[in-house]
Amino acid sequence: MSGSRTKIKDLAPYDRPKEKALRYGINSLTNIELLAILINTGTRDESAIAIAEKLLNKHHTLTNLAKITEISDFSLPGIKTSKALTLLAAFTLSSRVQKDNFKGLEYLKSSGEIANKYIYDFSSAKAEMMLLV
């Protein structure tokens, strides 16, 4: 699927990320294809898929991408402020969904529950943090 010169419209319809998601479900997409949907458009020289692949290669894992808190950290050719903001918003929403799982939980019954409740706060911290329980 990689190939920076290949435009998404030149792919077979069943290989295009949006069409593939509609036909087979969102879970059928690779991480690169999901990122390509968020990136939405490529440049004259690179498809959204190629840009997504470069972004993932630059940061190595989705976990590292999810830890980004600054728009400038998404900097790559083909990703300007608007696209970076879209990516930042998607990862922030994902983090908030995880945090919502523990809202209203009055009693944490295990160290695992404590870890799950605060993992996203700690994983994105740029300075050392401490939690007393």
Side-chain angles (χ1 to χ4, degrees):
M1 170 149 323
S2 65
S4 61
R5 287 271 195 229
T6 303
K7 302 262 185 221
I8 290 179
K9 68 180 180 181
D10 295 335
L11 295 173
Y14 53 83
D15 279 338
R16 298 174 191 163
K18 290 178 183 177
E19 288 79 356
K20 185 176 173 183
L22 291 170
R23 182 175 209 153
Y24 301 110
I26 197 75
N27 288 322
S28 69
L29 300 180
T30 66
N31 293 338
I32 290 170
E33 291 169 327
L34 289 168
L35 287 169
I37 287 176
L38 292 172
I39 291 169
N40 194 36
T41 59
T43 65
R44 181 183 344 213
D45 296 324
E46 293 185 304
S47 69
I49 293 172
I51 294 168
E53 188 171 14
K54 283 184 175 182
L55 183 65
L56 193 56
N57 287 338
K58 177 181 176 182
H59 294 282
H60 307 291
T61 65
L62 285 176
T63 301
N64 289 341
L65 279 172
K67 291 178 184 179
I68 292 175
T69 58
E70 300 295 326
I71 289 174
S72 60
D73 291 338
F74 287 104
S75 177
L76 269 180
I79 298 182
K80 294 201 165 117
T81 303
S82 180
K83 289 179 185 181
L85 189 57
T86 298
L87 291 164
L88 186 59
F91 285 114
T92 300
L93 276 172
S94 174
S95 174
R96 289 182 183 179
V97 166
Q98 295 302 318
K99 287 178 187 179
D100 270 359
N101 289 330
F102 293 95
K103 273 190 176 172
L105 209 61
E106 293 183 34
Y107 300 102
L108 298 173
K109 298 176 184 145
S110 69
S111 58
E113 286 183 357
I114 293 169
N116 287 334
K117 180 172 180 162
Y118 293 101
I119 193 164
Y120 293 97
D121 294 322
F122 282 85
S123 67
S124 63
K126 296 205 182 238
E128 187 174 326
M129 293 178 64
M130 181 174 74
L131 173 70
L132 296 175
V133 180

